[in-house]
Amino acid sequence: MRCFLGALLLGCSLFAQDQSSSPQNSPLGKGMFYVEGIVYQYVAGTDYTVVAAAHSVLNRKFLAVKVRVYNAGQRSVTVKPEDVVLEDANGGHALAALSGAALAKKMRHPYNWARLAVTPVAGGEAQAPDDTATITPQLVEMMKAMAAQAQGAGTSTMPGGKNLLYTDTPGALRPGEVTPGANVCDQVCRLHNVEAGSPDVLTQLQRQNLPDYVEQNAFLANTIPPRANASGVLYCGLGKLSESSQASSHGKKERLVRVTVPVGAESFQFVIPVE
């Protein structure tokens, strides 16, 4: 009897150690995709999905962080730029964001034209950000499927450069919506198509440094109704980001920005390498 109890206690102890050592499943779905060479990350929650990307702009003097928020819930939600937290992931300190209007004012000063590679005269009309695109029923189903899959089975974290998702598991569409031979766009494909549907803002900010374009694409306070989305760019000085102490796999020290986006009762966090 004692041997049986001892074996039972030993088995329970080993099972508890195994459970404690195994990673806890994340309640959110995560993934990555590319648009014109820029890495975009997404995190899918219960009612919202957030997509984020970052790149150096304005002659590599400033950092631009693009954020898009999808509302797949039943109620409107308000997002504000002052609620978004930017941090230096290497140095561990907060970064002060600069409004689009304030940055555009700096760019309009003749002293900064050469330093920021500003184009004083616009060669054409700057394109306003595309915030009016509505979420299709398929995109709503996609986000619900992503959240359900993550909560049911858990998703792994994204080690740098690994787990780059160009496709995802089935379930974004209702079975009746999939027809043989149809060109089916999966979950990541739909998120990618929204970002690539118009000229990519981060790419354009590297090509045309116009004060009006910078200001018009800034992240502003928005109330997002159900089945809609809003996007914008946050700016901060690139010099405030410290480099990692160790070189990355491609032989260069890396700058990392941590972006935290609270939406309703949910919070979405990204760690993005800056190029």
Side-chain angles (χ1 to χ4, degrees):
M1 185 66 179
R2 290 181 179 178
C3 294
F4 174 78
L5 290 176
L8 181 61
L9 290 173
L10 179 61
C12 292
S13 175
L14 292 174
F15 178 79
Q17 291 178 4
D18 181 69
Q19 289 293 98
S20 62
S21 63
S22 62
Q24 297 298 314
N25 291 333
S26 170
L28 302 175
K30 300 180 180 181
M32 300 166 115
F33 57 87
Y34 282 97
V35 176
E36 297 192 37
I38 298 176
V39 177
Y40 277 75
Q41 298 183 16
Y42 73 83
V43 177
T46 304
D47 292 322
Y48 315 105
T49 292
V50 178
V51 178
H55 207 284
S56 58
V57 297
L58 298 178
N59 209 18
R60 297 186 61 83
K61 295 295 190 296
F62 285 86
L63 170 68
V65 179
K66 181 182 177 182
V67 174
R68 185 182 298 275
V69 178
Y70 293 89
N71 182 4
Q74 301 299 318
R75 298 180 180 180
S76 297
V77 65
T78 298
V79 293
K80 300 177 181 179
E82 58 266 28
D83 294 336
V84 179
V85 178
L86 303 180
E87 298 173 284
D88 180 355
N90 290 323
H93 60 266
L95 300 172
L98 186 65
S99 70
L103 181 54
K105 184 177 180 180
K106 286 179 176 288
M107 294 173 64
R108 292 188 179 101
H109 197 288
Y111 173 80
N112 291 319
W113 287 357
R115 189 172 71 91
L116 302 180
V118 177
T119 305
V121 180
E125 295 184 357
Q127 183 171 352
D130 180 17
D131 292 338
T132 59
T134 57
I135 300 181
T136 63
Q138 290 84 1
L139 192 54
V140 173
E141 291 298 319
M142 172 205 73
M143 288 187 281
K144 289 181 179 178
M146 290 162 63
Q149 177 190 353
Q151 292 171 354
T155 54
S156 59
T157 57
M158 297 176 295
K162 298 180 181 179
N163 194 28
L164 298 180
L165 302 184
Y166 297 93
T167 59
D168 213 326
T169 56
L173 300 178
R174 295 186 181 92
E177 294 174 342
V178 181
T179 56
N183 184 14
V184 178
C185 189
D186 62 17
Q187 298 169 356
V188 180
C189 171
R190 293 195 183 99
L191 292 175
H192 168 274
N193 287 349
V194 173
E195 303 304 329
S198 57
D200 181 70
V201 173
L202 296 181
T203 302
Q204 294 300 311
L205 284 170
Q206 298 173 62
R207 297 173 179 170
Q208 54 169 334
N209 295 328
L210 303 174
D212 288 347
Y213 190 80
V214 167
E215 186 171 3
Q216 290 172 11
N217 285 278
F219 191 91
L220 302 176
N222 272 292
T223 297
I224 311 172
R227 299 174 181 267
N229 70 85
S231 70
V233 179
L234 298 109
Y235 305 95
C236 71
L238 187 63
K240 298 178 181 179
L241 274 175
S242 58
E243 293 183 332
S244 59
S245 57
Q246 296 180 349
S248 61
S249 58
H250 48 73
K252 295 182 180 179
K253 292 185 177 181
E254 208 169 36
R255 289 187 172 107
L256 296 172
V257 59
R258 181 182 293 109
V259 184
T260 305
V261 186
V263 186
E266 301 180 51
S267 183
F268 304 82
Q269 190 171 92
F270 307 84
V271 177
I272 308 174
V274 178
E275 297 183 12

